[in-house]
Amino acid sequence: MKNMADLEEIRRAYDEWRKMKEGWTERRESFRSDAGIPVKDLYTPLDVEGIDYLADIGFPGQPPYARGVYPTMYRGRLWTIRMFSGHGTPEETNQRWRMLYEEGETGFSAAVDSLTFAGVDPDQEVHGAAHEVGKEGVPLYSIRGVEAMVEDLPIDRMSVALVVEPLTSAAITSMYFNVAKQRGLRKEQLAGTTQNDILTMTIGYIPWGSLKPADLLKLACDLIEYCTAMGEAPRWNPINFTTYNYREGGIDAVQEIGMGLANAVAHIDELLRRGWKIDDFVHRLAFHLSAHRDFFEEIAKYRAARKLWYRLMKERYRPENPEAYRFRFHVQTAGCSLTAQQPMVNIVRTAYQALEAVLGGCQSLHTNSYDEAICLPSEEAVRLAVRTQEVLQEETGVANVIDPLAGSYYVESLTRELEERIWGYFQQIEEMGGVVEALNTGWLFGEMSKAFNKRRRDQESGEEKVIGVNCYVLEDEEPTPPFRTNPRAAEIERERLAKLRAERDNQKVSRLLDQLRRVCEARENVLPVVSELTAAGATLGEITGVYREMWGIWQLPFVA
Amino acid sequence: MEKRIRVLLFKPGLDGHWRGIMTVSKALSEAGMETIFFGFKTVEGVVEAAIQEDVDVIGFSVHSGAHLEWARELVRELEEKGVRDDFLLLVGGVFPEEDHEELRRIGMDGVFGPGTVTGDIVAFIRERLGKVEVG
């Protein structure tokens, strides 16, 4: 970003500085970023040589969006504080959500239990499922559960993220829409997001009885088609590509965004194949990224991701709607960076990671609670996690200027390096036929397994320092008292379902389930009939049972 | 020549957090043990497989918070089949330290919480089984 004469002068001065530095030892022989990018001792204007400010960095709200997707960013509107929460029963989750609402949370995100995630009812005899009711999140097995979860909350004035995946996204989203309808609201008024990510279900977290990748892709696209292309819920984000969930496995920033872009492309191409135009849907695709340990690399990652999305749109799809070029994302601080040892240190880790997300220009943020490496968060821990964001918003002043790190020789150089590496990784997946093929062949499992094992080796050898685990260990540490979920949750949920089954029109449900079978066979969009089903009181297990029956369960190509 | 230690690992229930168990599986293999990763199975199926495969160790991982229930179910199944004492039982995952004692009382021989170094699991198995590895 300097003219050539200046650069020559700087180069000479730099060489002199290097000579002067000889003989000064460093802590380590070499330094690398989390993604393995060599980190130099010093960054100077020489490292941003060739970067053209207007073309490569630009202004906020303008291509290539390195500095943010909106012209005013946080000076216009602060990011949404969106905590991921849910536990026990829908009623208990409702209490927690009301507490968070009082504490200043502005968006909600429903963590569901493993049964909801896998599309299983608590009264189904599947793998002793009842043990896990309400343990990892809120149980949402029917419209009754969703009703109880949002009772007395102003869903027309809040945005809710439903953290479910393609297997259950149609059912849970339609339950939510139907609850709104019961309250006299229209789907068009609702703001929110359904997670709906096929990679989460296949490599990030592998639920029982998952469907084949192509079937999951179909279901994910059904929801995008219904909400956006068909205009049923135009303010709803029908998917957010949740690279966070794969990142938690141990992959790096390059793989995270590379897999995320490849995943988005698979969905876009499927919708184009169905006959939609790019402008019919692409503006509502959103992302959910991780904020990990390497401070500057993560900030550069967000900047690079925005630029790459812009590039992908401009070079490949060319939408007319300017909104389509904006890469919008939610961030969650890295759960896997938290430790059960000295859990209070997690507050500090999370605060730094939250700062990354904010300096990186996220649209909404979840900060993890300090006790999450032990149990689901207690009320006290989650309040502190909300306060962490409020300190950033109200006390630090970091939200008063847009993209304050732009122009940093290091950040700009790293942004460029990440852009190149991410694009290369994304193309590698494209060349092997895209994410569905990379799943079918087991290649993506191989990537995850390698990442798991590399992290393990690095942490066990001490190469990757983890405070409280492999350094600064406290002997005889006092255990943190855990938050326990409702031990009666399974019983309560079974009773709820029994009551529902007794009260609903069973003939109607059975007729609609037959209709769903026909829709699945013809591979038509499942949303219209699933919406009728959930309104009629069909359960999650009944609906996903039809998918499994019609399409079969996927045998995962495990790579140990 | 000593027989290699055989370990059957599984994830009970529906909870799909697979990183922990896969990582342990790899580490035990690297330490020269024969590991069978049995995926997401019912306790009943696992016990049958453990008998058929003549394994020395059964290990499972829980992240969902249902560790106590799963431990009880595994021990109950082993007792019903009359093979409770034929296996070394291990449990790992994300659960509170105050539950370690209860897990041992239920019958888990080895309890490994967050932050466990895999070398400790290897050492524990070797010590308890008194076997020497041959590669």
Side-chain angles (χ1 to χ4, degrees):
Chain A
M1 285 188 284
K2 278 276 187 180
N3 68 42
M4 291 310 289
D6 287 345
L7 283 176
E8 278 314 307
E9 201 183 324
I10 292 168
R11 193 168 282 119
R12 272 196 303 277
Y14 180 69
D15 289 343
E16 274 173 35
W17 176 76
R18 294 220 74 85
K19 270 186 224 129
M20 183 275 282
K21 188 176 169 262
E22 276 168 21
W24 290 72
T25 56
E26 293 188 337
R27 284 188 286 121
R28 268 188 245 158
E29 237 173 70
S30 68
F31 292 76
R32 280 180 181 275
S33 75
D34 183 78
I37 298 172
V39 177
K40 294 165 51 169
D41 49 3
L42 190 75
Y43 287 78
T44 69
L46 300 172
D47 295 290
V48 293
E49 198 177 353
I51 292 182
D52 174 336
Y53 180 78
L54 290 178
D56 298 323
I57 301 173
F59 289 91
Q62 286 182 7
Y65 301 101
R67 306 202 67 177
V69 288
Y70 301 119
T72 50
M73 290 303 288
Y74 305 141
R75 283 170 70 103
R77 185 176 166 273
L78 288 165
W79 66 91
T80 304
I81 301 177
R82 185 189 299 285
M83 303 299 282
F84 180 51
S85 55
H87 67 268
T89 61
E91 286 79 2
E92 285 162 309
T93 299
N94 178 260
Q95 279 174 16
R96 177 65 67 88
W97 281 24
R98 287 199 223 179
M99 182 280 276
L100 288 166
Y101 189 70
E102 297 291 311
E103 295 295 345
E105 175 166 305
T106 50
F108 290 80
S109 177
V112 299
D113 68 1
S114 56
L115 284 80
T116 308
F117 211 79
V120 170
D121 295 337
D123 50 4
Q124 268 179 279
E125 287 304 317
V126 175
H127 284 228
H131 292 331
E132 290 169 4
V133 172
K135 287 257 179 17
E136 276 187 304
V138 56
L140 298 177
Y141 313 131
S142 72
I143 192 168
R144 299 271 168 92
V146 179
E147 278 166 14
M149 178 176 76
V150 297
E151 199 183 344
D152 291 331
L153 281 164
I155 55 172
D156 52 334
R157 280 179 283 125
M158 51 192 251
S159 81
V160 169
L162 301 168
V163 183
V164 290
E165 308 299 342
L167 179 62
T168 57
S169 61
I172 303 285
T173 310
S174 72
M175 285 175 198
Y176 186 83
F177 289 171
N178 285 325
V179 168
K181 195 172 164 189
Q182 287 170 9
R183 293 197 190 175
L185 299 168
R186 288 174 301 117
K187 292 195 286 291
E188 291 83 348
Q189 290 173 269
L190 300 173
T193 302
T194 306
Q195 188 163 284
N196 201 19
D197 180 292
I198 71 163
L199 283 186
T200 292
M201 283 208 96
T202 48
I203 56 166
Y205 171 104
I206 304 173
W208 173 83
S210 193
L211 303 174
K212 291 190 283 295
D215 297 330
L216 293 173
L217 180 69
K218 181 223 168 333
L219 288 172
C221 289
D222 282 359
L223 189 71
I224 303 170
E225 185 173 52
Y226 178 81
C227 292
T228 312
M230 291 160 66
E232 291 285 330
R235 292 182 63 208
W236 197 264
N237 295 312
I239 191 162
N240 66 352
F241 299 101
T242 311
T243 68
Y244 174 84
N245 286 341
Y246 352 135
R247 184 74 189 276
E248 282 288 283
I251 56 167
D252 62 36
V254 170
Q255 293 170 304
E256 179 192 346
I257 306 299
M259 287 184 192
L261 291 179
N263 197 13
V265 162
H267 292 69
I268 292 171
D269 290 349
E270 166 62 17
L271 287 155
L272 295 175
R273 197 193 56 74
R274 291 185 187 190
W276 296 103
K277 295 205 170 51
I278 189 75
D279 277 302
D280 293 333
F281 60 89
V282 78
H283 55 286
R284 288 236 71 92
L285 305 183
F287 287 80
H288 171 174
L289 311 187
S290 172
H292 233 271
R293 294 163 43 115
D294 191 324
F295 193 81
F296 290 107
E297 184 166 83
E298 292 299 293
I299 294 165
K301 175 188 82 178
Y302 304 124
R303 302 176 86 248
R306 274 193 295 267
K307 293 181 74 179
L308 289 170
W309 180 255
Y310 169 73
R311 176 175 173 184
L312 185 68
M313 288 300 119
K314 188 167 160 265
E315 288 180 4
R316 196 180 293 196
Y317 298 110
R318 294 177 287 278
E320 282 173 21
N321 183 352
E323 289 298 314
Y325 293 87
R326 302 182 204 275
F327 179 89
R328 296 168 305 124
F329 62 102
H330 168 75
V331 170
Q332 181 168 352
T333 58
C336 69
S337 72
L338 306 185
T339 61
Q341 292 78 8
Q342 302 177 44
M344 291 298 173
V345 179
N346 293 332
I347 301 171
V348 181
R349 291 186 177 106
T350 297
Y352 289 136
Q353 291 166 7
L355 182 58
E356 288 162 11
V358 170
L359 294 177
C362 69
Q363 275 61 61
S364 69
L365 175 61
H366 165 104
T367 31
N368 287 317
S369 300
Y370 69 82
D371 50 3
E372 285 188 44
I374 303 159
C375 56
L376 286 191
S378 64
E379 204 170 294
E380 183 211 7
V382 78
R383 185 178 288 114
L384 258 167
V386 172
R387 292 282 182 265
T388 302
Q389 296 197 43
E390 289 164 345
V391 168
L392 280 174
Q393 292 189 340
E394 309 296 345
E395 296 184 5
T396 63
V398 293
N400 292 349
V401 66
I402 305 167
D403 191 27
L405 293 179
S408 147
Y409 309 125
Y410 181 39
V411 169
E412 295 300 356
S413 157
L414 197 51
T415 302
R416 177 162 64 178
E417 179 75 31
L418 281 165
E419 263 180 87
E420 282 167 16
R421 289 183 181 226
I422 293 166
W423 193 256
Y425 193 79
F426 160 68
Q427 280 183 319
Q428 200 185 339
I429 300 174
E430 289 289 279
E431 277 158 21
M432 64 182 77
V435 285
V436 171
E437 200 47 31
L439 283 167
N440 287 335
T441 59
W443 185 83
L444 278 175
F445 284 96
E447 290 290 279
M448 293 300 283
S449 293
K450 274 189 266 171
F452 293 169
N453 289 307
K454 183 178 181 307
R455 291 278 161 187
R456 172 176 63 83
R457 288 200 195 95
D458 288 353
Q459 290 185 359
E460 292 187 352
S461 69
E463 170 87 9
E464 183 173 315
K465 300 271 187 237
V466 186
I467 288 166
V469 175
N470 64 14
C471 57
Y472 310 106
V473 176
L474 275 184
E475 300 300 333
D476 303 323
E477 208 183 314
E478 277 291 306
T480 303
F483 173 77
R484 303 268 180 190
T485 58
N486 189 338
R488 283 198 57 238
E491 206 181 312
I492 293 167
E493 293 308 314
R494 281 176 172 156
E495 281 165 13
R496 194 192 310 271
L497 283 196
K499 190 160 177 283
L500 173 73
R501 290 191 212 278
E503 286 170 3
R504 69 184 189 183
D505 179 346
N506 281 307
Q507 275 186 336
K508 185 178 181 188
V509 170
S510 144
R511 198 180 65 240
L512 287 168
L513 286 170
D514 274 339
Q515 204 182 320
L516 178 59
R517 285 186 184 91
R518 287 193 294 276
V519 164
C520 286
E521 197 171 28
R523 296 189 81 79
E524 289 162 2
N525 193 315
V526 300
L527 259 298
V529 62
V530 168
S531 299
E532 279 193 69
L533 272 161
T534 55
T539 67
L540 198 54
E542 288 166 339
I543 292 166
T544 59
V546 171
Y547 303 152
R548 287 176 172 126
E549 174 196 324
M550 301 302 292
W551 298 331
I553 289 174
W554 186 34
Q555 297 306 319
L556 297 140
F558 268 123
V559 182
Chain B
M1 191 186 278
E2 288 273 0
K3 168 176 160 284
R4 289 220 304 188
I5 293 172
R6 286 166 69 79
V7 185
L8 188 150
L9 297 172
F10 75 108
K11 233 182 128 38
L14 305 169
D15 158 28
H17 290 100
W18 65 304
R19 178 182 177 181
I21 195 85
M22 291 297 279
T23 309
V24 170
S25 172
K26 181 83 175 172
L28 299 188
S29 303
E30 282 174 3
M33 299 180 193
E34 275 184 61
T35 60
I36 307 165
F37 177 59
F38 211 55
F40 308 88
K41 299 292 178 189
T42 58
V43 166
E44 204 176 22
V46 163
V47 170
E48 264 172 43
I51 296 168
Q52 271 174 21
E53 296 284 337
D54 191 26
V55 300
D56 306 290
V57 184
I58 302 176
F60 68 99
S61 156
V62 182
H63 180 285
S64 68
H67 44 285
L68 296 171
E69 287 92 336
W70 288 118
R72 285 191 198 106
E73 196 169 320
L74 176 63
V75 170
R76 192 161 57 234
E77 186 66 24
L78 290 165
E79 279 170 354
E80 273 173 25
K81 291 257 169 26
V83 292
R84 167 66 191 88
D85 298 329
D86 295 358
F87 306 102
L88 189 68
L89 303 182
L90 312 181
V91 59
V94 177
F95 40 73
E97 202 178 319
E98 67 175 37
D99 288 352
H100 288 202
E101 204 182 308
E102 178 63 10
L103 285 164
R104 288 199 184 88
R105 205 191 55 73
I106 291 168
M108 296 298 111
D109 299 295
V111 179
F112 301 97
T116 298
V117 175
T118 52
D120 291 349
I121 306 177
V122 171
F124 178 85
I125 296 173
R126 282 185 181 147
E127 189 195 314
R128 293 293 291 266
L129 294 179
K131 289 183 183 176
V132 178
E133 291 309 315
V134 285

